[in-house]
Amino acid sequence: MKATIRRIVVTLLSCAAIQLLSTLALPQPALAQQTFSIAFPKKAGAPNSCMTQERGGSGGTFLRCQIVLPANVPSDLFIRAVFFECRPADSQACMNTQQCPGNGAICDRHVNPVVPVDFNISQPGARAVEWWGWTSDGGDATLHFDVTVGP
């Protein structure tokens, strides 16, 4: 009888240990982090175009995109990071387009040469950001953004 009880206890302890390890190994849920994408045309005159009339360095023109959280994003979530990509990447219009601050010579004279892109925005509260870029090509391209939101 003692051997049977011992086997039962060992089996129960083994099951408890496996359950504990399984629980600890599960990834922790993300704190309501979400990502959404938004795209704007670059070409001047197109609806919602980011092209401005403001001249930038080296004879180019500044681009300005207003990125706003959609209304269905809960009010306790804020913009935490913005990642830019010009599409199609191999087009002439994209090869002559960059985000500020760029190489400094192009965007350094702009009133806001540093924008909250490609890094974590440490102070929560922003539900809208302005992205600034520069182009020397008026050709058609899509300015695509992946926006990360979180608490």
Side-chain angles (χ1 to χ4, degrees):
M1 177 129 157
K2 285 184 180 181
T4 304
I5 293 173
R6 182 178 292 158
R7 278 189 230 131
I8 291 172
V9 170
V10 170
T11 302
L12 289 175
L13 286 176
S14 299
C15 290
I18 291 170
Q19 184 68 24
L20 178 65
L21 290 174
S22 296
T23 302
L24 294 174
L26 291 176
Q28 296 299 317
L31 295 174
Q33 185 170 324
Q34 301 175 20
T35 301
F36 73 94
S37 296
I38 189 168
F40 300 96
K42 185 184 90 162
K43 191 168 183 70
N48 296 320
S49 173
C50 292
M51 184 75 75
T52 69
Q53 299 300 315
E54 188 178 350
R55 290 286 175 216
S58 301
T61 304
F62 283 115
L63 301 166
R64 179 178 152 206
C65 302
Q66 181 76 17
I67 300 169
V68 180
L69 287 180
N72 64 344
V73 173
S75 62
D76 62 339
L77 299 180
F78 308 99
I79 295 175
R80 302 305 256 155
V82 177
F83 301 94
F84 163 71
E85 179 184 12
C86 186
R87 296 179 179 173
D90 60 349
S91 69
Q92 194 64 36
C94 285
M95 287 190 257
N96 293 314
T97 299
Q98 66 181 29
Q99 65 185 358
C100 292
N103 65 13
I106 293 172
C107 296
D108 63 348
R109 288 179 282 155
H110 192 272
V111 295
N112 186 19
V114 179
V115 292
V117 296
D118 291 341
F119 64 90
N120 187 46
I121 299 170
S122 61
Q123 296 297 320
R127 291 189 58 85
V129 294
E130 268 188 351
W131 175 89
W132 286 90
W134 173 91
T135 187
S136 62
D137 187 308
D140 195 17
T142 300
L143 305 177
H144 177 86
F145 300 91
D146 287 323
V147 182
T148 303
V149 299

